[in-house]
Coordinates of all heavy atoms in Angstrom, one line a residue:
F13 N 32.9 170.9 65.3 CA 33.9 171.4 64.4 C 34.4 172.8 64.9 O 35.6 172.9 65.1 CB 33.2 171.6 63.0 CG 34.2 172.0 61.9 CD1 35.0 171.1 61.3 CD2 34.4 173.3 61.6 CE1 35.9 171.4 60.3 CE2 35.2 173.7 60.6 CZ 36.0 172.8 59.9
L14 N 33.5 173.7 65.2 CA 33.9 175.0 65.6 C 34.4 175.0 67.1 O 35.2 175.8 67.5 CB 32.8 176.0 65.4 CG 32.3 176.2 64.0 CD1 31.1 177.2 64.0 CD2 33.5 176.8 63.2
S15 N 33.8 174.1 67.9 CA 34.2 174.2 69.3 C 35.6 173.9 69.6 O 36.2 174.3 70.6 CB 33.3 173.2 70.1 OG 33.6 171.8 69.7
C16 N 36.3 173.2 68.7 CA 37.8 172.9 68.9 C 38.6 173.7 67.9 O 39.8 173.4 67.7 CB 38.0 171.4 68.7 SG 37.3 170.4 70.0
D17 N 38.0 174.7 67.2 CA 38.8 175.5 66.2 C 39.4 174.7 65.1 O 40.5 174.9 64.7 CB 39.8 176.4 66.9 CG 39.2 177.3 67.9 OD1 38.5 178.2 67.5 OD2 39.5 177.2 69.1
R18 N 38.6 173.7 64.6 CA 39.1 172.9 63.5 C 39.1 173.8 62.2 O 38.2 174.6 62.0 CB 38.2 171.7 63.3 CG 38.4 170.7 64.4 CD 37.5 169.5 64.1 NE 37.5 168.6 65.2 CZ 36.6 168.6 66.2 NH1 35.6 169.5 66.2 NH2 36.6 167.8 67.2
T19 N 40.0 173.6 61.3 CA 40.0 174.3 60.0 C 39.8 173.3 58.9 O 39.4 173.7 57.8 CB 41.4 175.0 59.8 OG1 42.4 174.0 59.8 CG2 41.6 176.1 60.8
Q20 N 39.9 172.0 59.1 CA 39.7 171.0 58.1 C 39.4 169.7 58.7 O 40.1 169.3 59.7 CB 40.9 170.9 57.2 CG 40.9 169.8 56.1 CD 42.2 169.7 55.4 OE1 43.2 170.2 55.7 NE2 42.1 168.9 54.3
V21 N 38.5 169.0 58.1 CA 38.2 167.5 58.4 C 38.1 166.8 57.1 O 37.3 167.2 56.3 CB 37.0 167.3 59.3 CG1 36.7 165.8 59.5 CG2 37.1 168.0 60.6
E22 N 39.0 165.9 56.9 CA 39.0 165.2 55.6 C 38.9 163.7 55.9 O 39.7 163.1 56.7 CB 40.3 165.4 54.9 CG 40.5 164.7 53.6 CD 41.8 165.0 52.9 OE1 42.3 166.1 52.9 OE2 42.5 164.0 52.5
I23 N 37.9 163.0 55.4 CA 37.7 161.6 55.6 C 37.7 160.9 54.2 O 36.9 161.2 53.4 CB 36.3 161.3 56.3 CG1 36.3 162.0 57.6 CG2 36.1 159.9 56.4 CD1 34.9 162.0 58.3
N24 N 38.7 160.1 54.1 CA 38.9 159.4 52.8 C 39.9 158.3 52.9 O 41.0 158.5 53.3 CB 39.4 160.5 51.7 CG 39.5 159.9 50.4 OD1 38.8 158.9 50.0 ND2 40.3 160.6 49.5
P25 N 39.5 157.1 52.6 CA 38.3 156.6 52.1 C 37.3 156.1 53.2 O 37.7 155.9 54.3 CB 38.7 155.5 51.2 CG 39.9 154.9 51.9 CD 40.6 156.1 52.5
L26 N 36.1 155.9 52.8 CA 35.1 155.2 53.6 C 35.0 153.8 53.0 O 35.2 153.6 51.8 CB 33.8 155.9 53.5 CG 33.7 157.3 54.1 CD1 32.3 157.9 53.8 CD2 34.0 157.3 55.6
A27 N 34.6 152.9 53.9 CA 34.3 151.5 53.4 C 33.0 151.0 54.0 O 32.7 151.4 55.1 CB 35.5 150.6 53.8
E28 N 32.4 150.2 53.3 CA 31.2 149.5 53.8 C 31.5 148.1 54.1 O 32.0 147.3 53.3 CB 30.0 149.6 52.8 CG 28.7 149.1 53.3 CD 27.6 149.2 52.3 OE1 27.8 149.8 51.2 OE2 26.5 148.7 52.6
T29 N 31.1 147.7 55.3 CA 31.3 146.3 55.8 C 30.3 145.4 55.2 O 29.3 145.9 54.6 CB 31.3 146.2 57.3 OG1 30.0 146.5 57.8 CG2 32.3 147.1 57.9
S30 N 30.5 144.1 55.3 CA 29.5 143.2 54.8 C 28.1 143.3 55.5 O 27.1 142.8 55.0 CB 30.0 141.7 54.9 OG 30.3 141.4 56.3
T31 N 28.1 143.9 56.7 CA 26.9 144.1 57.5 C 26.2 145.4 57.2 O 25.2 145.7 57.8 CB 27.1 143.9 59.0 OG1 28.1 144.9 59.4 CG2 27.7 142.5 59.3
G32 N 26.8 146.2 56.3 CA 26.2 147.5 55.9 C 26.7 148.7 56.7 O 26.3 149.8 56.5
D33 N 27.6 148.4 57.7 CA 28.1 149.6 58.5 C 29.2 150.3 57.6 O 29.9 149.7 56.8 CB 28.9 149.1 59.7 CG 27.9 148.5 60.7 OD1 26.7 148.9 60.8 OD2 28.3 147.5 61.4
V34 N 29.2 151.6 57.8 CA 30.2 152.5 57.1 C 31.3 152.8 58.1 O 31.1 153.1 59.2 CB 29.6 153.8 56.6 CG1 30.6 154.7 56.0 CG2 28.5 153.5 55.6
V35 N 32.6 152.5 57.6 CA 33.8 152.7 58.5 C 34.7 153.7 57.9 O 35.0 153.7 56.7 CB 34.5 151.3 58.6 CG1 35.7 151.4 59.5 CG2 33.5 150.2 59.1
V36 N 35.3 154.6 58.7 CA 36.3 155.5 58.3 C 37.6 154.8 58.2 O 38.1 154.2 59.2 CB 36.4 156.7 59.2 CG1 37.5 157.6 58.9 CG2 35.1 157.5 59.2
C37 N 38.3 154.8 57.1 CA 39.6 154.1 57.0 C 40.7 155.0 57.2 O 41.8 154.6 57.7 CB 39.7 153.5 55.6 SG 38.4 152.2 55.2
D38 N 40.6 156.3 56.9 CA 41.7 157.2 57.1 C 41.0 158.6 57.3 O 40.0 158.9 56.7 CB 42.6 157.2 56.0 CG 43.9 158.0 56.3 OD1 44.2 158.3 57.4 OD2 44.6 158.4 55.3
A39 N 41.6 159.5 58.0 CA 41.1 160.8 58.2 C 42.2 161.8 58.6 O 43.3 161.4 59.1 CB 40.1 160.8 59.4
K40 N 42.0 163.0 58.3 CA 42.9 164.1 58.6 C 42.1 165.2 59.2 O 41.1 165.6 58.7 CB 43.6 164.6 57.3 CG 44.5 165.8 57.5 CD 45.1 166.2 56.2 CE 46.0 167.4 56.3 NZ 46.7 167.7 55.1
V41 N 42.6 165.8 60.3 CA 42.0 166.9 61.0 C 43.0 168.0 61.3 O 44.1 167.7 61.8 CB 41.4 166.4 62.4 CG1 40.7 167.6 63.1 CG2 40.4 165.3 62.2
N42 N 42.7 169.2 60.9 CA 43.6 170.3 61.1 C 42.9 171.3 62.1 O 41.7 171.4 62.1 CB 43.9 171.1 59.9 CG 44.9 170.3 59.0 OD1 45.5 169.3 59.4 ND2 45.0 170.7 57.7
F43 N 43.8 172.0 62.9 CA 43.3 172.9 63.9 C 43.9 174.3 63.7 O 45.1 174.3 63.2 CB 43.6 172.4 65.3 CG 42.9 171.1 65.6 CD1 43.5 169.9 65.4 CD2 41.6 171.1 66.2 CE1 42.9 168.7 65.6 CE2 41.0 169.9 66.5 CZ 41.6 168.7 66.2
D44 N 43.2 175.3 64.1 CA 43.7 176.7 63.9 C 44.9 176.9 64.9 O 44.7 176.8 66.1 CB 42.6 177.7 64.2 CG 43.0 179.1 64.0 OD1 44.2 179.4 63.8 OD2 42.1 180.0 64.0
D45 N 46.1 177.1 64.4 CA 47.3 177.3 65.3 C 47.1 178.5 66.1 O 47.6 178.6 67.2 CB 48.5 177.4 64.4 CG 48.9 176.1 63.8 OD1 48.5 175.1 64.3 OD2 49.6 176.2 62.7
N46 N 46.4 179.5 65.7 CA 46.2 180.8 66.4 C 45.3 180.6 67.6 O 45.2 181.4 68.5 CB 45.6 181.9 65.5 CG 46.5 182.3 64.5 OD1 47.7 182.4 64.7 ND2 46.0 182.5 63.3
A47 N 44.6 179.4 67.7 CA 43.7 179.1 68.8 C 44.3 178.1 69.7 O 43.6 177.5 70.6 CB 42.3 178.7 68.3
E48 N 45.6 177.9 69.6 CA 46.2 176.9 70.5 C 46.0 177.1 72.0 O 45.8 176.2 72.7 CB 47.7 176.8 70.2 CG 48.4 175.7 71.0 CD 49.9 175.6 70.6 OE1 50.3 176.3 69.6 OE2 50.6 174.9 71.3
F49 N 45.9 178.4 72.4 CA 45.7 178.7 73.8 C 44.4 178.2 74.3 O 44.2 178.0 75.5 CB 45.9 180.2 74.0 CG 44.8 181.0 73.4 CD1 43.7 181.4 74.2 CD2 44.8 181.4 72.1 CE1 42.7 182.2 73.6 CE2 43.8 182.2 71.5 CZ 42.7 182.6 72.3
R50 N 43.4 178.0 73.4 CA 42.1 177.5 73.9 C 42.0 176.0 73.9 O 41.1 175.5 74.5 CB 41.0 178.1 72.9 CG 40.7 179.5 73.1 CD 39.4 179.8 72.4 NE 39.5 179.7 70.9 CZ 39.6 180.8 70.1 NH1 39.7 182.0 70.6 NH2 39.7 180.6 68.8
N51 N 42.9 175.4 73.2 CA 42.8 173.9 73.0 C 44.2 173.2 73.2 O 44.6 172.4 72.4 CB 42.3 173.6 71.6 CG 40.9 174.2 71.3 OD1 40.0 173.8 72.0 ND2 40.9 175.1 70.4
K52 N 44.8 173.6 74.3 CA 46.2 173.0 74.5 C 46.2 171.5 74.5 O 47.2 170.9 74.0 CB 46.7 173.6 75.9 CG 47.1 175.1 75.8 CD 47.8 175.5 77.1 CE 48.1 176.9 77.1 NZ 48.9 177.4 76.1
E53 N 45.2 170.9 75.1 CA 45.2 169.4 75.1 C 45.2 168.8 73.7 O 45.8 167.7 73.5 CB 44.1 168.9 76.0 CG 42.7 169.1 75.4 CD 42.1 170.5 75.5 OE1 42.7 171.3 76.2 OE2 41.1 170.8 74.8
I54 N 44.6 169.4 72.8 CA 44.6 168.9 71.4 C 46.0 169.1 70.8 O 46.5 168.2 70.2 CB 43.5 169.6 70.6 CG1 42.1 169.1 71.1 CG2 43.6 169.3 69.1 CD1 40.9 169.9 70.5
H55 N 46.5 170.3 70.9 CA 47.8 170.7 70.3 C 48.9 169.9 70.9 O 49.9 169.6 70.2 CB 48.0 172.2 70.3 CG 47.1 172.9 69.4 ND1 47.5 173.3 68.1 CD2 45.9 173.4 69.5 CE1 46.5 173.9 67.5 NE2 45.5 174.0 68.3
E56 N 48.8 169.5 72.1 CA 49.9 168.6 72.8 C 50.0 167.3 72.1 O 51.0 166.6 72.3 CB 49.6 168.5 74.3 CG 49.9 169.8 75.0 CD 49.4 169.8 76.5 OE1 48.8 168.8 76.9 OE2 49.6 170.7 77.2
K57 N 48.9 166.8 71.4 CA 48.9 165.5 70.8 C 49.6 165.5 69.4 O 49.7 164.5 68.8 CB 47.5 165.0 70.7 CG 46.9 164.7 72.0 CD 45.4 164.3 71.9 CE 44.8 164.1 73.3 NZ 43.5 163.7 73.2
R58 N 50.1 166.7 69.0 CA 50.7 166.8 67.6 C 51.9 165.9 67.6 O 52.8 165.9 68.5 CB 51.1 168.2 67.3 CG 51.7 168.4 66.0 CD 52.1 169.9 65.8 NE 52.7 170.0 64.5 CZ 53.3 171.2 64.1 NH1 53.2 172.2 64.9 NH2 53.8 171.3 62.9
D59 N 52.0 165.0 66.6 CA 53.1 164.1 66.4 C 54.0 164.6 65.2 O 53.7 164.3 64.0 CB 52.7 162.7 66.1 CG 53.8 161.7 66.0 OD1 55.0 162.1 66.1 OD2 53.5 160.5 65.7
T60 N 55.0 165.5 65.4 CA 55.8 166.1 64.4 C 56.6 165.0 63.6 O 57.1 165.3 62.5 CB 56.7 167.2 64.9 OG1 57.5 166.6 65.9 CG2 55.8 168.3 65.5
T61 N 56.7 163.8 64.1 CA 57.5 162.8 63.4 C 56.7 162.3 62.2 O 57.3 161.7 61.3 CB 57.8 161.6 64.3 OG1 56.6 160.9 64.6 CG2 58.6 162.0 65.5
Q62 N 55.5 162.7 62.1 CA 54.6 162.3 61.0 C 54.6 163.4 59.9 O 53.8 163.3 58.9 CB 53.2 161.9 61.4 CG 53.2 160.7 62.3 CD 53.7 159.5 61.7 OE1 53.2 159.1 60.6 NE2 54.6 158.8 62.3
E63 N 55.3 164.5 60.1 CA 55.3 165.6 59.3 C 56.6 165.9 58.6 O 57.6 165.4 59.1 CB 54.9 166.9 60.1 CG 53.6 166.8 60.8 CD 53.3 168.0 61.6 OE1 53.5 169.2 61.1 OE2 52.8 167.9 62.8
D64 N 56.6 166.6 57.5 CA 57.8 167.0 56.8 C 58.6 167.9 57.8 O 58.1 168.9 58.3 CB 57.5 167.8 55.5 CG 58.7 168.1 54.7 OD1 59.7 168.6 55.3 OD2 58.6 168.0 53.5
S65 N 59.9 167.5 58.1 CA 60.7 168.3 59.0 C 60.9 169.7 58.6 O 61.0 170.6 59.5 CB 62.0 167.6 59.2 OG 62.8 167.5 58.0
R66 N 60.9 170.0 57.3 CA 61.1 171.4 56.8 C 59.8 172.2 57.2 O 59.9 173.4 57.6 CB 61.3 171.4 55.3 CG 62.6 170.6 54.9 CD 62.7 170.4 53.5 NE 61.6 169.6 53.0 CZ 61.4 169.3 51.7 NH1 62.2 169.7 50.8 NH2 60.3 168.5 51.4
E67 N 58.7 171.6 57.0 CA 57.4 172.3 57.4 C 57.3 172.5 58.9 O 56.9 173.6 59.3 CB 56.2 171.5 56.8 CG 56.2 171.4 55.3 CD 55.0 170.6 54.8 OE1 54.1 170.3 55.6 OE2 55.1 170.2 53.6
V68 N 57.8 171.6 59.7 CA 57.7 171.7 61.1 C 58.7 172.9 61.5 O 58.3 173.7 62.3 CB 58.2 170.4 61.8 CG1 58.4 170.6 63.3 CG2 57.2 169.3 61.5
E69 N 59.9 172.9 61.0 CA 60.8 174.0 61.3 C 60.3 175.3 60.9 O 60.3 176.3 61.7 CB 62.2 173.7 60.6 CG 63.3 174.7 61.0 CD 63.7 174.6 62.5 OE1 63.5 173.6 63.1 OE2 64.2 175.6 63.0
A70 N 59.7 175.5 59.7 CA 59.1 176.7 59.3 C 58.0 177.2 60.2 O 57.8 178.4 60.5 CB 58.6 176.6 57.8
S71 N 57.2 176.2 60.7 CA 56.0 176.6 61.5 C 56.4 177.1 62.8 O 55.7 177.9 63.4 CB 55.1 175.4 61.7 OG 55.7 174.4 62.6
K72 N 57.6 176.8 63.3 CA 58.1 177.4 64.5 C 58.3 178.9 64.4 O 58.3 179.6 65.4 CB 59.5 176.8 64.9 CG 59.4 175.3 65.3 CD 60.8 174.8 65.5 CE 60.8 173.3 65.8 NZ 62.2 172.8 66.0
Y73 N 58.4 179.4 63.2 CA 58.6 180.9 63.0 C 57.4 181.5 62.3 O 57.4 182.5 61.7 CB 59.8 181.1 62.1 CG 61.1 180.5 62.7 CD1 61.5 179.2 62.4 CD2 61.7 181.2 63.8 CE1 62.6 178.7 63.0 CE2 62.8 180.6 64.4 CZ 63.3 179.4 64.0 OH 64.4 178.8 64.6
D74 N 56.2 180.8 62.4 CA 55.0 181.2 61.8 C 55.1 181.4 60.3 O 54.5 182.3 59.7 CB 54.4 182.5 62.4 CG 54.0 182.2 63.9 OD1 53.5 181.1 64.2 OD2 54.2 183.1 64.7
L75 N 55.8 180.5 59.6 CA 56.0 180.5 58.2 C 55.3 179.3 57.6 O 55.3 178.2 58.2 CB 57.4 180.5 57.8 CG 58.3 181.7 58.2 CD1 59.7 181.5 57.9 CD2 57.8 183.0 57.6
N76 N 54.8 179.4 56.4 CA 54.2 178.3 55.7 C 55.1 177.8 54.6 O 55.5 178.5 53.7 CB 52.9 178.7 55.1 CG 51.8 179.1 56.1 OD1 51.6 178.3 57.0 ND2 51.2 180.2 55.9
Y77 N 55.6 176.5 54.7 CA 56.5 175.9 53.8 C 55.8 174.7 53.2 O 55.3 173.9 54.0 CB 57.8 175.6 54.5 CG 58.8 174.9 53.6 CD1 59.7 175.6 52.9 CD2 58.8 173.5 53.4 CE1 60.6 175.0 52.0 CE2 59.7 172.8 52.6 CZ 60.6 173.6 51.9 OH 61.4 173.0 51.0
I78 N 55.9 174.6 51.9 CA 55.4 173.4 51.2 C 56.5 172.8 50.4 O 57.0 173.5 49.4 CB 54.2 173.7 50.4 CG1 53.1 174.3 51.2 CG2 53.7 172.4 49.7 CD1 52.5 173.4 52.3
G79 N 57.0 171.6 50.6 CA 58.0 171.0 49.8 C 57.5 170.4 48.6 O 56.4 169.7 48.7
L80 N 58.1 170.6 47.5 CA 57.7 170.0 46.2 C 58.9 169.2 45.6 O 59.9 169.2 46.2 CB 57.1 171.0 45.3 CG 56.0 171.9 45.8 CD1 55.7 173.1 44.9 CD2 54.7 171.0 46.0
D81 N 58.7 168.7 44.4 CA 59.8 167.8 43.8 C 60.6 168.5 42.7 O 61.4 167.9 42.1 CB 59.1 166.6 43.2 CG 58.5 165.7 44.2 OD1 59.0 165.7 45.3 OD2 57.5 165.0 43.9
G82 N 60.5 169.8 42.6 CA 61.2 170.5 41.5 C 62.6 170.9 41.8 O 63.2 170.4 42.7
N83 N 63.1 171.9 41.0 CA 64.4 172.4 41.2 C 64.5 173.9 41.4 O 65.6 174.5 41.3 CB 65.3 171.9 40.0 CG 64.7 172.4 38.7 OD1 63.7 173.1 38.6 ND2 65.4 172.0 37.6
I84 N 63.4 174.6 41.5 CA 63.4 176.1 41.6 C 62.7 176.5 42.9 O 61.5 176.2 43.0 CB 62.8 176.8 40.4 CG1 63.6 176.5 39.2 CG2 62.8 178.3 40.7 CD1 63.0 177.0 37.9
G85 N 63.4 177.1 43.9 CA 62.7 177.5 45.1 C 61.9 178.8 45.0 O 62.3 179.6 44.2
C86 N 60.8 178.9 45.7 CA 59.9 180.1 45.6 C 59.8 180.6 47.0 O 59.2 180.0 47.9 CB 58.6 179.7 45.1 SG 58.6 178.9 43.5
M87 N 60.2 181.9 47.2 CA 59.9 182.6 48.5 C 58.9 183.7 48.1 O 59.2 184.6 47.3 CB 61.2 183.2 49.1 CG 60.9 183.8 50.4 SD 62.3 184.6 51.2 CE 63.5 183.3 51.3
V88 N 57.7 183.6 48.7 CA 56.6 184.5 48.2 C 55.9 185.1 49.4 O 56.2 184.8 50.6 CB 55.6 183.7 47.4 CG1 56.2 183.2 46.1 CG2 55.0 182.6 48.2
N89 N 55.1 186.1 49.1 CA 54.3 186.8 50.1 C 52.8 186.5 49.8 O 52.2 187.3 49.1 CB 54.6 188.3 50.1 CG 53.9 189.0 51.2 OD1 53.3 188.4 52.1 ND2 54.0 190.3 51.2
G90 N 52.3 185.4 50.3 CA 50.9 185.1 50.1 C 50.7 183.9 49.2 O 51.5 183.7 48.3
A91 N 49.7 183.1 49.4 CA 49.4 181.9 48.7 C 49.1 182.2 47.2 O 49.4 181.5 46.3 CB 48.3 181.1 49.3
G92 N 48.4 183.3 47.0 CA 48.0 183.7 45.6 C 49.3 183.9 44.8 O 49.4 183.5 43.6
L93 N 50.2 184.7 45.3 CA 51.5 184.9 44.6 C 52.3 183.6 44.4 O 52.9 183.4 43.4 CB 52.3 186.0 45.4 CG 53.7 186.4 44.7 CD1 53.4 186.9 43.3 CD2 54.4 187.4 45.6
A94 N 52.2 182.8 45.4 CA 52.9 181.5 45.3 C 52.3 180.7 44.1 O 53.1 180.1 43.3 CB 52.7 180.7 46.6
M95 N 51.0 180.6 44.0 CA 50.4 179.9 42.9 C 50.8 180.5 41.6 O 51.1 179.7 40.6 CB 48.9 179.8 43.1 CG 48.4 179.1 44.4 SD 49.1 177.4 44.6 CE 48.2 176.6 43.3
S96 N 50.7 181.8 41.5 CA 51.1 182.5 40.2 C 52.5 182.2 39.9 O 52.9 182.0 38.7 CB 50.8 184.0 40.4 OG 49.5 184.2 40.6
T97 N 53.4 182.3 40.8 CA 54.8 182.1 40.6 C 55.1 180.7 40.1 O 55.9 180.5 39.2 CB 55.6 182.5 41.9 OG1 55.4 183.8 42.3 CG2 57.1 182.3 41.7
M98 N 54.5 179.8 40.8 CA 54.7 178.4 40.4 C 54.2 178.1 39.0 O 54.8 177.3 38.2 CB 54.1 177.4 41.4 CG 54.9 177.4 42.7 SD 54.4 176.1 43.9 CE 52.7 176.5 44.2
H99 N 53.1 178.7 38.7 CA 52.5 178.6 37.3 C 53.5 179.1 36.3 O 53.7 178.5 35.2 CB 51.1 179.3 37.2 CG 50.4 179.1 35.9 ND1 50.0 177.8 35.5 CD2 50.1 179.9 35.0 CE1 49.4 178.0 34.3 NE2 49.5 179.2 34.0
I100 N 54.0 180.3 36.5 CA 55.0 180.9 35.6 C 56.2 180.0 35.4 O 56.7 179.8 34.3 CB 55.3 182.3 36.0 CG1 54.1 183.3 35.8 CG2 56.5 182.9 35.2 CD1 54.3 184.6 36.4
I101 N 56.7 179.5 36.5 CA 57.9 178.6 36.5 C 57.6 177.4 35.6 O 58.4 177.1 34.7 CB 58.3 178.2 37.9 CG1 58.9 179.3 38.6 CG2 59.3 177.0 37.8 CD1 59.1 179.0 40.1
Q102 N 56.4 176.8 35.7 CA 56.1 175.7 34.9 C 55.8 176.1 33.4 O 56.2 175.3 32.5 CB 54.8 175.0 35.5 CG 55.1 174.3 36.8 CD 53.9 173.7 37.4 OE1 52.8 174.2 37.3 NE2 54.1 172.6 38.2
L103 N 55.3 177.2 33.2 CA 55.1 177.7 31.8 C 56.4 177.8 31.1 O 56.5 177.7 29.9 CB 54.3 179.0 31.8 CG 52.8 179.0 32.0 CD1 52.2 180.4 32.0 CD2 52.1 178.2 30.8
K104 N 57.4 178.2 31.8 CA 58.8 178.4 31.2 C 59.6 177.1 31.3 O 60.8 177.2 31.0 CB 59.5 179.6 31.9 CG 58.8 180.9 31.7 CD 58.8 181.2 30.3 CE 58.1 182.6 30.0 NZ 58.1 182.9 28.6
G105 N 59.0 176.0 31.6 CA 59.7 174.7 31.6 C 60.4 174.3 32.9 O 61.1 173.3 32.9
G106 N 60.3 175.1 33.9 CA 60.9 174.7 35.2 C 59.9 173.9 36.0 O 58.8 173.6 35.6
S107 N 60.4 173.7 37.3 CA 59.5 172.9 38.2 C 59.8 173.4 39.6 O 60.9 173.4 40.1 CB 59.9 171.4 38.1 OG 59.1 170.7 39.0
P108 N 58.8 173.9 40.3 CA 59.0 174.4 41.7 C 59.5 173.3 42.6 O 59.0 172.2 42.7 CB 57.6 174.9 42.1 CG 56.8 174.9 40.8 CD 57.4 173.9 39.9
A109 N 60.5 173.7 43.4 CA 61.0 172.8 44.4 C 60.3 173.0 45.8 O 60.3 172.0 46.6 CB 62.5 173.1 44.7
N110 N 59.7 174.1 46.0 CA 59.0 174.4 47.2 C 58.3 175.8 47.1 O 58.5 176.5 46.1 CB 60.0 174.4 48.4 CG 61.0 175.5 48.3 OD1 60.8 176.6 47.7 ND2 62.2 175.2 48.7
F111 N 57.6 176.1 48.1 CA 57.3 177.5 48.3 C 57.2 177.8 49.8 O 56.8 177.1 50.6 CB 56.0 178.0 47.5 CG 54.7 177.7 48.1 CD1 54.1 178.4 49.1 CD2 54.0 176.6 47.6 CE1 52.9 178.1 49.6 CE2 52.7 176.3 48.1 CZ 52.2 177.1 49.1
L112 N 57.9 178.9 50.1 CA 57.9 179.4 51.5 C 57.1 180.7 51.5 O 57.5 181.7 50.9 CB 59.4 179.7 51.9 CG 59.5 180.3 53.3 CD1 59.0 179.4 54.3 CD2 61.0 180.7 53.5
D113 N 56.0 180.7 52.2 CA 55.1 181.9 52.3 C 55.6 182.7 53.5 O 55.4 182.3 54.6 CB 53.7 181.5 52.4 CG 52.7 182.6 52.5 OD1 53.2 183.8 52.5 OD2 51.5 182.4 52.5
V114 N 56.2 183.8 53.2 CA 56.7 184.7 54.3 C 55.7 185.8 54.7 O 56.0 186.7 55.5 CB 58.1 185.2 54.0 CG1 59.1 184.1 53.9 CG2 58.1 186.1 52.8
G115 N 54.6 185.8 54.0 CA 53.6 186.9 54.3 C 52.7 186.5 55.3 O 51.8 186.9 55.9

């Protein structure tokens, strides 16, 4: 996990075969972008066609963008402020369309 600067490993779901073996059906692995220089061969395998094009474009500028289904855009400084802002929007009857973390 640490040797490749992974930040997340998610395995879901698992399945058990009729012979009792456990098989991984789907998995997600994230790596620390700041450590790309140490693991170039891993980062070269990134397939951006499998990602939201808006998130890919934002990542080119070291920004975090998350697209949502609402109608009010959120530009914030930090994930905590993003969560609070989205909560207030929902409390007032709105729905967040995205959040762009510029911090």
Side-chain angles (χ1 to χ4, degrees):
F13 187 84
L14 297 177
S15 65
C16 294
D17 297 295
R18 291 179 188 94
T19 58
Q20 176 185 12
V21 175
E22 178 182 314
I23 301 170
N24 186 19
L26 295 173
E28 184 177 355
T29 67
S30 60
T31 60
D33 293 327
V34 176
V35 181
V36 173
C37 298
D38 192 18
K40 176 180 179 179
V41 180
N42 288 346
F43 298 89
D44 184 351
D45 292 335
N46 294 319
E48 183 175 352
F49 68 96
R50 284 194 294 260
N51 301 295
K52 289 189 184 298
E53 68 284 349
I54 292 172
H55 288 267
E56 288 171 354
K57 295 178 182 179
R58 180 180 179 188
D59 182 1
T60 57
T61 65
Q62 298 297 309
E63 301 178 46
D64 184 316
S65 61
R66 300 169 298 177
E67 293 177 18
V68 171
E69 186 65 23
S71 72
K72 293 177 185 177
Y73 304 97
D74 293 325
L75 300 172
N76 295 311
Y77 177 90
I78 304 295
L80 303 169
D81 294 329
N83 57 1
I84 300 173
C86 304
M87 184 182 301
V88 296
N89 185 9
L93 183 58
M95 298 305 290
S96 298
T97 302
M98 291 190 297
H99 184 67
I100 290 170
I101 289 170
Q102 290 176 328
L103 281 175
K104 295 298 182 179
S107 181
N110 61 35
F111 77 82
L112 175 64
D113 182 358
V114 297

